[in-house]
Amino acid sequence: MLEIRGLTKFFGGLEAVSNIDMTVEAGRITGLIGPNGAGKTTVFNLLTGVLKPTRGNVRFEGRDITGMKPHNVAKRGMVRTFQATNIYPDFTVLDNIILSCHLKPGVRVFETVLRTRSGRRKDREILERSHGILAEVGLDSLADVTARSLAHGHKRTLGIAAALAAEPKLLMLDEPLGGMNGEEVTETMKLITRLCGRIDS
């Protein structure tokens, strides 16, 4: 599904990522492991178009996406979460997912704003889909809670749920277990395992 060859990134004279070769197979959970500052997030940024590599090649589903803009990478189905929780803290849990669904290509803002027939239909579909995503990740009982009041583990799960709204083929999780206690780690690993089967299908 993903093939990386010779991926390298220099910032001035500093080689932050050095000649990485890596493949990710469909239906597999693959980890990128290293100490803080090793360049893991930089690799994610290179793969998703946030940064352009100094050299090397990235292919997703057989197509060269090296240096492609982030929204085009996401449109092709490679979606990521971030180390810092990517949620809207003053929105409810449900509204976070609804907003993420509206960011998906094919959803036109003017249809929602003008309340056209197609806009109302899409809004109903998005609401139903958002509730489905929250049920899938185990946050459905917290749908009306403001995101900032969530426990840390639930905030991380909400970030994963927001990424699912983009309907990924490949979901990249940056430090998904960071700052979690033992119980949260166990629950998140169960969720990741379930999602692996769901995304692959």
Side-chain angles (χ1 to χ4, degrees), residues 125-195:
E125 291 171 355
I126 284 173
L127 180 61
E128 183 178 334
R129 187 160 166 265
S130 297
H131 278 293
I133 290 171
L134 290 181
E136 185 172 22
V137 302
L139 294 180
D140 45 328
S141 64
L142 300 172
D144 296 323
V145 173
T146 304
R148 73 165 62 253
S149 64
L150 293 174
H152 175 73
H154 285 150
K155 287 179 181 176
R156 303 292 291 195
T157 301
L158 181 56
I160 294 172
L164 291 176
E167 299 181 352
K169 298 176 183 177
L170 174 64
L171 179 59
M172 299 170 53
L173 306 175
D174 194 354
E175 299 281 2
L177 307 178
M180 289 187 178
N181 61 37
E183 183 179 347
E184 290 170 336
V185 167
T186 299
E187 289 305 310
T188 302
M189 288 305 303
K190 288 179 183 177
L191 171 61
I192 290 170
T193 302
R194 286 201 313 273
L195 291 179

